[in-house]
Amino acid sequence: MRDHTWHAVRPPTDLGVIVHGPVVLARAPDIGAGLRAVFAYTSGLHLLLTFRAAGERAVDAGSWSYGRLRRYPGPTADNPYTAPEVRVTVNDSSGPAHTSSHVFISDDSFSVNASYWIDELPRDDRVLLSVEWPYAGLPRSETVLTLQGLDDLDERVLRLV
């Protein structure tokens, strides 16, 4: 297995093809993570995830991230902030996925809508997702996604212009 970092890159401007979703990825009392959809392109995969917390978990999540996510692995004396951690394994590449995200905080809820770009397509149609946010109360969970419809993407990707 090759260590790889999936960088936060803007996906293609085309609409892509939906090849999976939605599915619950992880759940604990008052906090959860879900996959909205996976869009496929000839150059890779665009994963749309959401993280939600309510009650005390919303307070925990909000205090750890306070309004915008920081891309750090965990709290330190210099940096007390964390974010949901997502690891992706595709083919022989495995490692952390970095995101562009939007955070929404209210008095009793906390939401993160996150977008991940995976710069390769799985040869076996399988993607392993590992999600966790231990500082906000979400334990590690792994989910194997079997993608449908990766054939003929050149012809099937929806283009706007």
Side-chain angles (χ1 to χ4, degrees), residues 24-34 49-53 57 60-61 64 83-86 130-141:
V24 174
L25 299 173
R27 230 186 239 156
D30 292 332
I31 191 166
L49 274 69
T50 187
F51 299 85
R52 300 281 187 266
R57 292 295 176 213
D60 292 342
W64 284 113
E85 298 171 31
V86 175
S130 172
V131 298
E132 68 180 314
W133 196 1
Y135 300 100
L138 186 66
R140 182 175 183 213
S141 178

Side-chain angles (χ1 to χ4, degrees), residues 107-137:
D107 290 340
D108 61 352
S109 69
F110 179 89
S111 302
V112 177
N113 291 325
S115 172
Y116 300 90
W117 176 250
I118 308 305
D119 61 1
E120 64 182 278
L121 295 171
R123 293 184 294 272
D124 62 358
D125 297 338
R126 295 165 49 98
V127 175
L128 172 64
L129 287 180
S130 172
V131 298
E132 68 180 314
W133 196 1
Y135 300 100

Side-chain angles (χ1 to χ4, degrees), residues 25-46:
L25 299 173
R27 230 186 239 156
D30 292 332
I31 191 166
L35 172 77
R36 289 184 183 275
V38 178
F39 289 88
Y41 301 83
T42 56
S43 57
L45 303 171
H46 183 197

Side-chain angles (χ1 to χ4, degrees), residues 64 70 72 74-82:
W64 284 113
R70 310 313 199 269
Y72 302 112
T76 65
D78 296 331
N79 174 40
Y81 302 102
T82 68

Side-chain angles (χ1 to χ4, degrees), residues 7-13 46 100 115 117:
H7 295 286
V9 175
R10 183 176 300 183
T13 56
H46 183 197
S100 59
S115 172
W117 176 250

